[in-house]
Amino acid sequence: MSKKHTSLISELRGKLKTCDSSHELSNIKSYYLGKNGILADEFIKLKSVKLSEKKELGMSLNILKNEMQDLISQKLNLLSSENDKDIKATDVTLPGKNISLGSRHPIAITINDIMDILGSYGFTSVEGLEIEDEFHNFEALNISDNHPARDMHDTFYVSDNKLLRTHTSSVQIRSMMVAEPPLKIMTPGKVYRCDSDPTHSPMFHQIEGLHIDENINFGHLKGTLIHFIKEFFGKEMQIRFRPSYFPFTEPSAEIDIKFKGKWLEVLGCGMVHPNVLSNVNIDNKKYTGFAFGLGVERLTMLRHSITDLRMFYDNDISFLSQFKDLK
Ligand code: PHE
């Protein structure tokens, strides 16, 4: 390569060394390799040299051209890889991603609370089947064939003898059939009734309790439930036991709570009917027991002053997230 060309290369090297932006590099590139750039000037000179020198100068020019192109494209690669690094680098001043935690569903919170309280009284949890037969859901519970609760309007039948359970009392029947008293169980779960309005949903949750042993009486029932209500609401509530009727308990009662000046029914209860005990082969001369059934949605509505039960199933995040700070 000629002396002139060698010095052009070292001049270019010098400029590339201090160049630190792609904008500057593109200026350098057009200065040397552009249409009217240094290299083009050198090529023009080729026309006016003597024939004997042409070959040598031509070779030198080709080397010069290749060298310049190589140097510039190497620099271009270097700058763009540095750029990539910049982009990948973490900017610690940016705000972090907002990862918000979900919350438990209010119904799940209530179920846990109820089970915690009843668990502390010695009730153990048992779950059963959601598709039941007439025997476990009705017959064994002393609900005769022509009882209104058997009407198609209340019960979702799956087939002639199969239905969606209308209460978790069916789980109590299954438990009493396999276990000897004493028995102290609670049965949380979904139940189904053909009903839908602001205070009824075709599917809702129940927790029923059952305690069978020798010498169990209504006093045990009252004591358990009065205590439970106080613990559940976290304060003394105004309550009353109102005589009621269930085919599977005798005597039967319902508990009402005074809420915003009105008596509201919150649970059904009673002493297990002797027929129910004999239906499951428990000696009804030796054993007695009490049972109660709690509506989970009803208790949750009372606790949080919710007026429409259907809100529990709308999946509205702004409603559900209000229960975030609860357990
Ligand atoms: N099984 C009744 C219901 O679902 C509730 C209940 C249970 C009432 C136990 C009394 C005793 O309506």
Side-chain angles (χ1 to χ4, degrees):
M1 202 165 35
S2 75
K3 252 196 182 146
K4 169 92 188 294
H5 292 169
T6 313
S7 76
L8 280 174
I9 288 294
S10 48
E11 180 191 296
L12 173 61
R13 280 185 201 278
K15 287 189 179 167
L16 290 177
K17 214 173 219 167
T18 55
C19 163
D20 59 5
S21 75
S22 52
H23 174 70
E24 202 180 335
L25 183 64
S26 89
N27 284 344
I28 294 173
K29 186 178 176 184
S30 60
Y31 178 74
Y32 286 95
L33 302 178
K35 223 175 174 183
N36 303 313
I38 300 287
L39 189 69
D41 277 355
E42 292 301 308
F43 268 96
I44 287 168
K45 284 177 193 162
L46 192 61
K47 285 181 192 158
S48 49
V49 293
K50 282 189 240 142
L51 204 61
S52 57
E53 293 167 9
K54 239 184 190 139
K55 191 178 172 198
E56 205 177 329
L57 184 63
M59 274 164 62
S60 177
L61 274 170
N62 276 335
I63 298 172
L64 174 69
K65 179 183 165 194
N66 288 339
E67 189 98 342
M68 284 182 160
Q69 283 174 339
D70 280 357
L71 288 171
I72 289 173
S73 72
Q74 276 166 23
K75 183 72 185 183
L76 188 68
N77 287 342
L78 192 74
L79 283 181
S80 63
S81 73
E82 275 170 6
N83 234 355
D84 280 355
K85 263 189 244 144
D86 282 354
I87 290 167
K88 279 178 199 141
T90 309
D91 180 353
V92 292
T93 63
L94 285 174
K97 272 190 189 158
N98 185 14
I99 303 170
S100 61
L101 277 180
S103 51
R104 275 192 185 281
H105 193 280
I107 295 298
I109 295 171
T110 303
I111 290 176
N112 286 347
D113 286 353
I114 294 173
M115 300 226 298
D116 276 354
I117 299 169
L118 293 179
S120 76
Y121 301 163
F123 288 88
T124 49
S125 171
V126 185
E127 286 182 34
L129 308 170
E130 288 184 27
I131 296 181
E132 264 297 359
D133 53 38
E134 293 192 314
F135 175 77
H136 294 90
N137 196 82
F138 294 130
E139 259 165 58
L141 285 154
N142 207 28
I143 304 175
S144 56
D145 233 354
N146 51 7
H147 193 281
R150 290 240 198 157
D151 197 293
M152 288 290 284
H153 293 285
D154 293 323
T155 310
F156 290 109
Y157 275 85
V158 176
S159 66
D160 261 0
N161 181 36
K162 294 277 184 220
L163 47 91
L164 297 180
R165 68 181 178 198
T166 57
H167 49 186
T168 58
S169 306
S170 52
V171 187
Q172 306 191 349
I173 293 297
R174 287 185 180 274
S175 301
M176 288 190 282
M177 288 177 84
V178 294
E180 291 283 314
L183 198 64
K184 202 170 182 182
I185 57 168
M186 53 183 163
T187 58
K190 293 184 170 73
V191 299
Y192 303 85
R193 289 184 201 175
C194 196
D195 223 349
S196 186
D197 63 42
T199 55
H200 294 92
S201 134
M203 183 284 297
F204 60 101
H205 297 79
Q206 262 191 344
I207 299 185
E208 295 201 357
L210 174 76
H211 187 185
I212 310 269
D213 204 345
E214 290 177 41
N215 302 319
I216 295 285
N217 60 43
F218 206 87
H220 296 112
L221 163 70
K222 275 187 91 174
T224 304
L225 294 177
I226 288 170
H227 234 272
F228 167 78
I229 286 169
K230 187 177 162 191
E231 281 199 67
F232 178 78
F233 287 100
K235 58 177 188 235
E236 205 78 59
M237 303 289 286
Q238 207 181 335
I239 65 168
R240 71 178 181 193
F241 280 76
R242 180 170 39 77
S244 184
Y245 170 77
F246 298 104
F248 35 86
T249 47
E250 180 60 35
S252 305
E254 278 172 281
I255 295 185
D256 298 333
I257 291 187
K258 191 77 162 272
F259 186 74
K260 293 190 173 159
K262 279 192 196 150
W263 287 109
L264 284 180
E265 173 211 322
V266 289
L267 64 88
C269 58
M271 300 305 292
V272 180
H273 198 293
N275 289 354
V276 174
L277 293 177
S278 64
N279 286 344
V280 293
N281 295 322
I282 290 180
D283 181 353
N284 60 18
K285 300 271 181 302
K286 184 172 176 196
Y287 294 107
T288 50
F290 69 81
F292 55 91
L294 304 164
V296 176
E297 278 79 357
R298 172 62 65 93
L299 284 173
T300 313
M301 287 170 80
L302 277 175
R303 179 144 80 159
H304 300 296
S305 300
I306 295 163
T307 48
D308 193 335
L309 172 149
R310 292 169 293 196
M311 297 185 84
F312 291 132
Y313 308 113
D314 278 350
N315 290 337
D316 175 353
I317 297 288
S318 62
F319 169 73
L320 296 174
S321 62
Q322 294 176 47
F323 304 89
K324 224 185 178 75
D325 296 332
L326 301 170
K327 274 193 259 182

